[in-house]
Amino acid sequence: CNQYPWGKKGSESLAARLAAKTPGWDEDDKRNKTDFKIDEEKFYSEMWLGTYPVLPSYVLSTGEDLQDVIDKNPDELIGKGVMNKFGHTKLPYLPKVLSISKALLLQLHPNKELSAKIHSKDSE
């Protein structure tokens, strides 16, 4: 669960409450356990679900990284149409649960081609 000052404090944050209920994988015990604890003094803003490398999701029954499982079964889990369109087996989206206490700017994340075009215009 990400912590940014625009998030909600402690248990007021839905993102934090969901993260606290989400089982984690204990590599030493080879079993699932919940390791996220809410600190009532901290602000919690986002809970991510997916294959983003910084905060990946894991398969509950095995503890495997979700991206590793997708890479082993791309046709079944991603589909040829998505792989053909994007050219890889990564999820083309990052679902997030947001807990917002302050107004936020709209964030848009362009693809690499558009990002390069915008960057070159800004450099002129």
Side-chain angles (χ1 to χ4, degrees):
C1 194
N2 285 323
Q3 298 173 20
Y4 297 112
W6 51 262
K8 291 189 175 182
K9 196 171 187 181
S11 296
E12 292 177 13
S13 168
L14 175 62
R17 291 194 316 267
L18 291 174
K21 291 181 179 185
T22 302
W25 182 257
D26 186 326
E27 196 56 44
D28 295 326
D29 292 339
K30 300 291 186 213
R31 63 183 178 87
N32 295 310
K33 69 171 194 161
T34 299
D35 54 1
F36 178 83
K37 303 288 185 229
I38 298 173
D39 181 333
E40 295 300 334
E41 298 304 312
K42 292 184 178 178
F43 292 88
Y44 298 99
S45 53
E46 303 175 323
M47 178 183 168
W48 295 0
L49 303 98
T51 58
Y52 193 72
V54 176
L55 290 173
S57 294
Y58 297 91
V59 176
L60 183 60
S61 60
T62 65
E64 290 177 272
D65 184 296
L66 179 58
Q67 186 61 58
D68 292 341
V69 175
I70 290 171
D71 288 342
K72 292 176 194 172
N73 306 285
D75 290 345
E76 296 85 4
L77 298 175
I78 295 293
K80 290 182 185 198
V82 173
M83 288 187 294
N84 289 338
K85 180 175 182 174
F86 294 100
H88 54 69
T89 61
K90 293 181 177 39
L91 292 177
Y93 53 83
L94 178 61
K96 298 178 182 183
V97 174
L98 301 178
S99 290
I100 302 167
S101 65
K102 299 177 184 177
L104 294 174
L105 297 173
L106 179 62
Q107 296 180 4
L108 299 174
H109 300 281
N111 60 29
K112 287 183 182 184
E113 181 182 317
L114 180 56
S115 181
K117 185 177 178 180
I118 292 169
H119 179 72
S120 68
K121 274 188 172 182
D122 289 344
S123 300
E124 294 175 356

